[in-house]
Amino acid sequence: QVQLVESGGGLVQPGGSLRLSCAATGSIFDFLLTQWYRQAPGKQREFVAAINTGGGTNYADSVKGRFTIFRDDAKNAVYLQMNSLQPEDTAVYYCRALGSGTYWGQGTQVTVSS
């Protein structure tokens, strides 16, 4: 049974940084693609960033240059480093993995506010 567990969310001031973690049971090598999505109150869930098994990455235009997705194979985890956070980045952030199936984590809240 594949499980994804996110952590690292919290309250941060505008301009601050957070690093989100997505820890997987089972090997992340089993996943063809690992992604981060986010959902703000009253809005649809939207794509944020993705990383494939070869290490290739892709980002939403709204986060390019500020967010970085990377993986630590030794820790079987994928991370989202978020810099220069703005109030519009406030959302619940979800990890999603595609492999033999599609798997979602439970989400972690990120709030950017002064």
Side-chain angles (χ1 to χ4, degrees):
Q1 183 74 15
V2 174
Q3 284 190 315
L4 303 175
V5 179
E6 302 99 332
S7 60
L11 174 64
V12 64
Q13 292 186 340
S17 298
L18 283 175
R19 179 178 291 183
L20 305 183
S21 302
C22 175
T25 59
S27 173
I28 59 173
F29 289 106
D30 293 338
F31 302 138
L32 298 175
L33 193 66
T34 308
Q35 302 167 309
W36 286 96
Y37 279 73
R38 67 185 181 186
Q39 188 166 18
K43 295 188 176 181
Q44 289 189 331
R45 194 170 295 188
E46 64 176 5
F47 169 78
V48 176
I51 187 167
N52 62 29
T53 53
T57 59
N58 188 34
Y59 298 92
D61 288 343
S62 59
V63 306
K64 278 181 183 176
R66 300 188 299 123
F67 291 11
T68 303
I69 187 171
F70 62 98
R71 50 194 284 167
D72 185 333
D73 295 342
K75 295 185 178 181
N76 214 36
V78 172
Y79 301 90
L80 186 67
Q81 177 67 41
M82 306 186 296
N83 299 329
S84 302
L85 283 162
Q86 300 302 317
E88 53 266 33
D89 295 315
T90 295
V92 178
Y93 283 71
Y94 297 90
C95 180
R96 177 179 186 241
L98 303 176
S100 58
T102 301
Y103 308 98
W104 289 92
Q106 83 289 349
T108 185
Q109 176 70 47
V110 172
T111 303
V112 185
S113 175
S114 55

